[in-house]
């Protein structure tokens, strides 16, 4: 897997004016939070961040090199989007500690189009996130579940998802991820109700 790297600089000036000036120079204001909730204000090259942002998920580890001295492994925790400029205006990173177990959730993505869909079946989505525990370096970037071969009245459960043996799944294995079934047909009204309606 290709390493995701961002070079960052520490910010020492704050406020809306300072942030706007930072953006005008082609850099993105950001913050790194650690496990204790402490924060470090930084900025990163906007073009590099934008390019990286298009290829990562919420569980992709990014190596952030701060002032060419300190290095963090972090996720993009959150971001603010400016609808006027059509650009990301601020980003929050969450730093993890190497060698220590990490507990987090990874979004489940369904792919594929079962044949039964074309016959009128309905694909119902179940749980959308998989909670796992592992070392940061072993964290899957994404969880993809293929529903292509799912037949009507069948389900895919958490226990059916395959992950690395280095990853411990914490989510209930019996929870459904996806269920394919036909919608119930409308049932005819009882004869007594039909006769009553006819006489009104």
């Amino acid at each position: 897997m290709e390493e995701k790297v961002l070079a960052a600089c520490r910010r020492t000036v704050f406020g809306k004016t300072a942030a706007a000036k930072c953006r005008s120079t082609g850099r993105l204001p950001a913050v790194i939070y650690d496990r204790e909730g402490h924060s470090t204000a930084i900025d990163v090259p906007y073009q590099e961040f934008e390019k990286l942002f298009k290829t990562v998920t919420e569980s992709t580890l990014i190596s952030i090199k701060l002032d060419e001295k300190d290095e963090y492994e972090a996720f993009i925790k959150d971001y603010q989007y400016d609808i006027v400029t059509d650009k990301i205006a601020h980003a929050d990173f969450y730093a993890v500690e190497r060698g220590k177990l990490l507990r987090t959730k990874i979004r489940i993505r369904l792919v594929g189009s079962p044949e039964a869909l074309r016959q009128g079946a309905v694909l119902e989505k179940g749980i959308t996130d998989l909670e796992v525990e592992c070392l940061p370096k072993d964290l899957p970037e994404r969880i993809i579940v293929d529903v292509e071969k799912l037949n009507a009245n069948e389900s895919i459960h958490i226990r059916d998802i395959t992950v690395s043996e280095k990853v411990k799944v914490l989510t209930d294995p019996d929870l459904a991820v996806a269920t394919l079934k036909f919608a119930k047909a409308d049932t005819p009204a009882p004869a007594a109700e039909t006769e009553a309606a006819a006489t009104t």
Side-chain angles (χ1 to χ4, degrees):
M1 183 186 301
E2 182 183 357
E3 185 180 13
K4 314 292 186 181
V5 181
L6 274 178
C9 295
R10 194 180 303 270
R11 282 190 293 135
T12 56
V13 183
F14 310 98
K16 290 184 178 180
T17 302
K21 184 177 180 180
C22 178
R23 296 185 194 99
S24 70
T25 61
R27 300 187 69 83
L28 177 71
V31 174
I32 300 177
Y33 294 94
D34 63 19
R35 295 177 62 153
E36 284 73 41
H38 301 141
S39 62
T40 301
I42 64 171
D43 61 57
V44 297
Y46 183 84
Q47 288 189 345
E48 290 183 23
F49 175 87
E50 184 181 41
K51 182 179 178 180
L52 193 65
F53 187 74
K54 294 177 180 178
T55 65
V56 302
T57 70
E58 64 273 12
S59 57
T60 301
L61 275 177
I62 300 170
S63 178
I64 300 177
K65 297 183 179 180
L66 181 57
D67 294 331
E68 298 182 353
K69 297 177 182 178
D70 301 322
E71 186 171 349
Y72 296 87
E73 283 189 329
F75 307 111
I76 298 176
K77 181 181 179 181
D78 199 4
Y79 62 92
Q80 297 174 11
Y81 186 77
D82 189 330
I83 60 174
V84 176
T85 61
D86 194 30
K87 291 183 177 181
I88 294 175
H90 188 277
D92 291 344
F93 295 92
Y94 176 73
V96 299
E97 198 167 345
R98 293 178 181 175
K100 285 198 174 183
L101 289 175
L102 169 70
R103 179 178 293 190
T104 188
K105 290 183 178 181
I106 306 175
R107 186 164 296 279
I108 298 170
R109 180 186 171 197
L110 304 182
V111 298
S113 179
E115 175 63 31
L117 285 180
R118 292 178 280 280
Q119 300 170 0
V122 176
L123 181 65
E124 294 184 352
K125 295 181 180 180
I127 191 166
T128 57
D129 297 290
L130 185 68
E131 186 174 10
V132 300
E133 184 180 70
C134 62
L135 294 175
K137 67 182 181 65
D138 298 322
L139 186 67
E141 274 197 64
R142 51 182 60 84
I143 298 293
I144 297 178
V145 175
D146 190 351
V147 299
E148 184 75 30
K149 297 182 180 179
L150 194 61
N151 296 315
N153 301 318
E154 289 185 348
S155 297
I156 296 177
H157 298 85
I158 292 295
R159 61 176 175 268
D160 300 318
I161 297 176
T162 302
V163 296
S164 166
E165 60 182 13
K166 297 178 181 179
V167 178
K168 181 180 180 180
V169 177
L170 303 177
T171 304
D172 185 344
D174 293 327
L175 290 176
V177 175
T179 300
L180 189 64
K181 61 184 181 181
F182 285 96
K184 292 182 180 180
D186 293 335
T187 56
E193 293 183 12
T194 304
E195 291 176 3
T199 59
T200 57

